[in-house]
Amino acid sequence: NFNNAYVSVPGAGEPIHSLTPLVMTNESLQWFGFGAADNGDVACHEMFHYAHLEQMEGVWGVVNRVIGNQIPHQIFLERWFTEGVAQFYEGRLGRTVGRPHAPLYRAAFDSFVQQKGRIEPGDLTTLQRELYPYSGAYLVALHFVEWLVQRSGEEALWKVMQLQAENFFTPFGATLRFKAIYGKDVGDLLAEWSQVLKAAPKRARPSEQKVLRRALGQFARLASHPATGTLALLTVGNDEGPRLRILSATGEVKVEVVLQRLDPGREWVLAHPDGMSGLTFSADGSKLFLINDELVDRGDTQAQLWTVDVATGRVLGVRNELGTGQGGALHPSGQRYTIIRTQPTGAALIDVEVSTGQERELSRFPAGTSVASLTWAPDGSALVFSRLDRSGWNLIKRAEDGTLSDLTTDGAFNFGARFETPDRLVFVRTHEGRAQVHRLTLSTGRMHRLSDVPFGAMDAAPLPDGVAFLNRDGTQWSVDRVSGSVLGKAQALSERPDSVGWYDAPPLSIEADQPYSPFPSLLLPQLRAPFGWVEPTVRNGTLALDAVVGAVLQGRDRLGWYTWTLSGALRLPALDLSLAAALDIERWAPWHVSVVAGRDANRNTATWGAALSAYRIFGVLPVEVGLRGLVRQRLDPDTRSPLDTPALRSIGPSVRLDWSAGEFTSYAGPRRLLTLSGALALYPQLLGSSADYADVRAQAQVAVPLPLSTRHSLTFRLAGRALPLAPGGTLTLGSVPGAAIALNPATQTGPGPSGAFLPGALQEYVRGYEDFAVTCNAATVGDVRYRYSFIIDKGFASTLWILPSIFFRQVDVEAFGSAAITDMPDRRWLRAFGAAAALRVAFMSALPVSVGYQFAYRGDFSLAPLHSLTLSFE
């Protein structure tokens, strides 16, 4: 149940792929214009990506044909362009579906513009967190592309792509290619568009629309118990993880529950409003029912029915055996919950007995028919839902005898119906381009508008004296209410237009039908690339630069069942040679099998390693088993010849397990976190090891919430590593390879990193000792880190007009303390404390980079304080 779709970028040897599932069961996609059962609409979006990324001509087209897919230079037009144009076409290829025609998608953009007052280049990036969950590369980009087409015509988009396909200077000057077509670069085009947007009239809540609760976060869902007005509210935001709140009819919080659980025996892993649907109160208001899209062992998701105690917010029961589907509504009897099960053969309405899980099919629809948003009449006499047909989303009534009748036929996004009384429905419907709350009286067929929200309403929820709903407010949502008084004249139901009906796809034409074979494409190296870089190092106590040159060959079959890699690198001037070979097997997914072997060398150590491993994830429990070997030889740092000391050989079986649970926010990272990991390797002499010994490692990491602010976090880590019976000094404790420059290189002593990137590396990192290491056979390492994040989220369309866009994400300020204790009396402690600051930026919205400075005061080995500059690729 993939619930997404993508086209892979043809780079790093990877051929272009498209993956579009036959059905999708995320209800939020339906709120934004798609059907769950006809993913041909989604495929239109993805096929634009496919066509766009194939445009590789000129010199770089030749280079890619020679060395394999390495430089997909269309991506340097950046994500906003390809996603904006793909969305533009998803709703303009014969069907009025998707985000260009979704009123709530427009509402999210219009409210953002009015709140901010302008559009900036940073608003086009996927990393603009104010626009979560849409992102600027989708929400803002669609409207920008529509304006570009209005300004200069549709053909100009394709001229930009053609110019990019032929240009020699990729990735430089992409923004200037827009200037060649539009007369202005991207930054100036945005400034011009921003001025146009400023001229739009300002909109405000009408006086009769009352706010019950403000600033709920970037995504929310709402339901009500009509008789009492009790509200159930699901929220998530940049500063707050997923929450369930039970509110009174006037908006006061009666119960608040953090949805993300950390205990190992928890009944769910995923708990996010975006994956929840079908919120329904029991008839007496004591229980709340909903469908949660839960992670399962295979790695995909399945529908999960929750029963929640309204008085406490506690989940009383969970039912998992529901397959793929979405909510849903509780029958007034309280004994049955009706879900929508969407499959390639067609959607169906399924009654599930809450107590036993027994199922009964109510209705089945032809393949390609999308239905959503069920509601039962209070007396159980009818079931109303939304169905997507040629005209759009319409309301359908199912009578007790199973007959279906149209309630609306105009396709004006008639969605999210809820019964006020057995004869009246409230729901969301488009009026003058905006999603507004409406009421439909079934006995008369008359419809009235109840709201005049500034931008868009969602999840209409009837109250005893009005209607509550989610109101789009800037970049967040609020809970508002209206009295229920009608606005404007009543509307009669229109006659069924001739265009209404299900979309009839053309018959499939099978061009070939034969078993798939990974040959001969597997044997041909699809990546044939040289590489090289310069990196800092320390030689004779001074800072110097090393050059690394090498080449890589890589091949894979078309479906990626098998991937092989051969690579080699030479470090100059030391002539240290590193080699690697690998075979990755995905044929037996969800098990992933890999074979890797190689040699790694540095200033005083040469390491040979090999491993055979099998890996898979059971829900959130990654498990790896394998056989690995490591041979480490000390070298003379001047001549690079082996020393007289015997090589250390470590060959044997291993197993590793990791478990984690946490609550994260976009701004502060982990608010609550618990991770546990363990690894065991046995190295018997029988298999060629230097001695009979074991390698045992365990680690726990905990993050705890802090008061006063949501932008800071406190994390603790404790790791223990022991190598019983191993030769003395087998474990290296301290420095590890990485993009770090120590500014006092004279202190860099001790054994250097040895084979850290080979399987079975016998190393443990200690913060503050990036330039120093000791050897031991057992160690316990602990550290604590406090971090405060200063959010920036600003960017530029290009860097100095030549380089790609840059987006400044945040500045993280940290204080830390670390300590390690070893089993060696003469090198017992490694202790440090200090502070660090890091600027986190992203280039092209696709390359997150962190540039930082760290100061560490060390209390052992008479070491001077360490100043470090760090460069990390996240």
Side-chain angles (χ1 to χ4, degrees):
N1 193 34
F2 182 53
N3 265 341
N4 210 329
Y6 70 86
V7 169
S8 64
V9 174
E14 176 75 19
I16 191 169
H17 290 96
S18 174
L19 177 58
T20 306
L22 296 177
V23 297
M24 300 169 76
T25 60
N26 188 314
E27 189 176 272
S28 66
L29 290 173
Q30 296 164 342
W31 279 100
F32 297 117
F34 287 111
D38 186 3
N39 258 12
D41 300 326
V42 176
C44 287
H45 176 113
E46 301 304 331
M47 287 304 100
F48 165 76
H49 290 319
Y50 204 102
H52 178 206
L53 293 172
E54 283 190 316
Q55 309 306 308
M56 293 188 291
E57 302 177 20
V59 172
W60 293 112
V62 173
V63 169
N64 280 318
R65 283 190 286 272
V66 171
I67 68 173
N69 289 323
Q70 182 69 7
I71 305 173
H73 49 294
Q74 287 292 345
I75 68 170
F76 296 107
L77 289 179
E78 304 210 12
R79 185 80 178 272
W80 72 263
F81 181 83
T82 187
E83 297 298 350
V85 180
Q87 289 175 101
F88 178 84
Y89 282 115
E90 79 186 23
R92 291 176 170 85
L93 293 178
R95 301 242 290 166
T96 55
V97 297
R99 284 159 284 203
H101 307 285
L104 285 174
Y105 205 64
R106 299 278 175 185
F109 174 74
D110 291 341
S111 62
F112 167 70
V113 172
Q114 179 164 306
Q115 173 181 281
K116 191 169 184 178
R118 63 191 183 280
I119 293 293
E120 299 174 336
D123 297 330
L124 285 176
T125 177
T126 57
L127 302 173
Q128 176 53 275
R129 287 166 286 191
E130 280 190 300
L131 295 173
Y132 174 84
Y134 322 101
S135 99
Y138 286 82
L139 183 66
V140 176
L142 168 62
H143 296 84
F144 186 38
V145 167
E146 289 179 334
W147 177 78
L148 289 175
V149 170
Q150 181 183 2
R151 179 188 187 273
S152 304
E154 187 178 334
E155 186 64 24
L157 300 173
W158 295 90
K159 289 180 179 179
V160 171
M161 289 180 252
Q162 181 67 25
L163 192 59
Q164 179 70 11
E166 299 170 346
N167 198 277
F168 172 74
F169 293 102
T170 295
F172 305 110
T175 187
L176 299 179
R177 271 155 330 255
F178 286 87
K179 189 171 185 177
I181 303 300
Y182 291 97
K184 293 183 177 181
D185 61 29
V186 175
D188 288 340
L189 286 168
L190 280 171
E192 179 184 337
W193 181 44
S194 189
Q195 290 300 316
V196 173
L197 295 173
K198 284 183 179 180
K202 305 302 180 187
R203 297 183 59 82
R205 287 182 176 89
S207 58
E208 62 270 16
Q209 181 179 327
K210 306 300 182 182
V211 181
L212 300 183
R213 196 148 199 94
R214 297 182 183 272
L216 302 178
Q218 275 62 38
F219 195 78
R221 297 304 306 266
L222 181 70
S224 70
H225 182 243
T228 62
T230 301
L231 296 168
L233 176 65
L234 295 167
T235 62
V236 67
N238 289 328
D239 279 313
E240 184 180 80
R243 297 287 193 275
L244 167 65
R245 294 181 176 91
I246 304 299
L247 310 179
S248 69
T250 54
E252 291 84 7
V253 176
K254 298 164 68 176
V255 177
E256 179 173 341
V257 178
V258 176
L259 292 178
Q260 203 67 56
R261 292 173 55 178
L262 306 188
D263 53 293
R266 65 199 192 278
E267 295 176 288
W268 62 87
V269 175
L270 301 181
H272 194 285
D274 182 54
M276 293 178 166
S277 55
L279 279 73
T280 314
F281 283 88
S282 59
D284 62 2
S286 66
K287 294 182 177 64
L288 173 72
F289 293 78
L290 61 90
I291 291 292
N292 178 45
D293 202 28
E294 166 63 344
L295 184 72
V296 294
D297 283 349
R298 193 175 58 183
D300 61 347
T301 59
Q302 300 281 304
Q304 181 186 64
L305 177 62
W306 286 13
T307 304
V308 182
D309 179 25
V310 172
T312 64
R314 187 169 62 92
V315 178
L316 300 176
V318 168
R319 181 161 295 284
N320 289 299
E321 301 82 16
L322 301 181
T324 58
Q326 65 189 51
L330 184 71
H331 187 271
S333 67
Q335 304 302 312
R336 299 147 42 199
Y337 188 92
T338 308
I339 67 169
I340 302 165
R341 182 168 293 154
T342 305
Q343 297 174 329
T345 54
L349 305 183
I350 306 292
D351 254 358
V352 179
E353 291 289 336
V354 174
S355 59
T356 67
Q358 185 176 350
E359 296 184 359
R360 179 172 67 95
E361 184 176 294
L362 298 182
S363 298
R364 178 166 290 275
F365 302 89
T369 305
S370 297
V371 295
S373 187
L374 310 181
T375 184
W376 277 101
D379 58 4
S381 61
L383 179 66
V384 172
F385 55 91
S386 294
R387 183 183 67 195
L388 182 63
D389 54 36
R390 285 184 183 274
S391 66
W393 283 104
N394 283 302
L395 296 180
I396 309 297
K397 176 184 175 183
R398 181 189 184 278
E400 287 183 283
D401 61 3
T403 59
L404 303 180
S405 57
D406 299 324
L407 297 181
T408 67
T409 59
D410 56 6
F413 191 70
N414 303 283
F415 207 88
R418 294 293 180 265
F419 275 93
E420 275 188 308
T421 70
D423 191 44
R424 294 197 313 192
L425 291 165
V426 293
F427 60 102
V428 169
R429 169 184 169 87
T430 303
H431 174 76
E432 296 180 350
R434 294 179 176 84
Q436 302 286 0
V437 178
H438 286 70
R439 175 186 290 139
L440 173 63
T441 303
L442 299 180
S443 58
T444 65
R446 307 297 287 180
M447 186 162 29
H448 296 84
R449 180 168 55 90
L450 305 182
S451 73
D452 186 27
V453 302
F455 301 107
M458 181 177 173
D459 280 346
L463 301 175
D465 58 348
V467 181
F469 53 89
L470 293 173
N471 173 76
R472 188 63 182 179
D473 188 7
T475 61
Q476 301 194 40
W477 294 89
S478 64
V479 176
D480 289 24
R481 67 173 295 277
V482 290
S483 64
S485 301
V486 300
L487 303 176
K489 297 180 180 179
Q491 300 171 260
L493 291 178
S494 59
E495 295 295 324
R496 184 179 181 89
D498 294 337
S499 63
V500 171
W502 295 296
Y503 175 67
D504 298 321
L508 280 176
S509 174
I510 299 175
E511 299 181 0
D513 186 4
Q514 59 190 22
Y516 172 73
S517 172
F519 302 101
S521 60
L522 176 63
L523 302 178
L524 178 66
Q526 295 167 7
L527 180 64
R528 308 165 290 276
F531 59 82
W533 64 81
V534 175
E535 64 181 40
T537 188
V538 174
R539 287 199 294 270
N540 300 322
T542 60
L543 188 64
L545 294 177
D546 280 359
V548 178
V549 295
V552 60
L553 296 177
Q554 186 179 85
R556 59 162 57 89
D557 64 290
R558 191 66 178 87
L559 293 185
W561 284 3
Y562 308 96
T563 301
W564 60 266
T565 306
L566 297 173
S567 65
L570 183 66
R571 181 181 296 272
L572 303 172
L575 299 180
D576 290 331
L577 179 65
S578 296
L579 300 169
L583 174 64
D584 293 308
I585 304 173
E586 305 285 350
R587 177 68 181 87
W588 304 305
W591 281 100
H592 309 273
V593 177
S594 67
V595 182
V596 59
R599 178 187 190 271
D600 187 23
N602 59 40
R603 64 182 181 275
N604 52 19
T605 307
T607 306
W608 293 263
L612 167 65
S613 64
Y615 173 86
R616 73 160 290 181
I617 300 177
F618 294 90
V620 293
L621 179 66
V623 176
E624 181 180 34
V625 295
L627 178 68
R628 64 191 187 187
L630 203 69
V631 179
R632 189 170 67 189
Q633 177 68 61
R634 297 296 184 189
L635 305 177
D636 185 297
D638 297 321
T639 66
R640 294 301 195 270
S641 58
L643 297 176
D644 293 336
T645 56
L648 173 66
R649 299 185 305 277
S650 307
I651 304 169
S654 64
V655 61
R656 179 175 63 87
L657 297 93
D658 297 285
W659 182 89
S660 65
E663 178 190 2
F664 298 82
T665 65
S666 299
Y667 284 159
R671 293 279 294 156
R672 299 184 304 128
L673 176 69
L674 175 61
T675 69
L676 304 171
S677 63
L680 171 65
L682 301 176
Y683 299 116
Q685 285 183 296
L686 181 65
L687 296 179
S689 298
S690 299
D692 291 312
Y693 77 98
D695 181 3
V696 184
R697 186 181 190 276
Q699 177 175 295
Q701 188 172 8
V702 177
V704 295
L706 297 174
L708 303 179
S709 173
T710 59
R711 302 285 174 89
H712 57 177
S713 60
L714 184 65
T715 304
F716 302 88
R717 182 181 72 97
L718 182 65
R721 185 86 173 263
L723 281 66
L725 304 179
T730 301
L731 179 65
T732 299
L733 187 67
S735 62
V736 296
I741 305 174
L743 300 186
N744 46 341
T747 66
Q748 185 142 350
T749 60
S754 53
F757 298 116
L758 293 175
L762 301 173
Q763 290 184 257
E764 282 295 325
Y765 169 63
V766 181
R767 187 168 187 178
Y769 287 84
E770 287 79 7
D771 66 331
F772 182 86
V774 300
T775 58
C776 59
N777 274 32
T780 300
V781 182
D783 53 54
V784 57
R785 185 211 70 193
Y786 169 83
R787 173 186 290 173
Y788 191 94
S789 298
F790 296 90
I791 306 303
I792 303 173
D793 280 3
K794 303 287 184 182
F796 298 91
S798 64
T799 307
L800 301 176
W801 293 277
I802 300 298
L803 299 176
S805 68
I806 185 171
F807 185 75
F808 295 89
R809 301 163 65 195
Q810 63 195 63
V811 173
D812 292 332
V813 178
E814 295 182 353
F816 71 89
S818 63
I821 184 171
T822 78
D823 62 341
M824 298 296 185
D826 60 336
R827 60 198 86 155
R828 178 71 70 184
W829 286 99
L830 282 77
R831 291 167 290 196
F833 65 89
L839 172 65
R840 299 174 65 187
V841 302
F843 296 96
M844 281 179 39
S845 297
L847 182 61
V849 177
S850 177
V851 181
Y853 163 77
Q854 176 179 292
F855 168 82
Y857 178 84
R858 284 87 68 86
D860 299 287
F861 298 96
S862 302
L863 295 175
L866 177 65
H867 304 266
S868 303
L869 297 178
T870 59
L871 175 65
S872 303
F873 297 93
E874 303 174 17

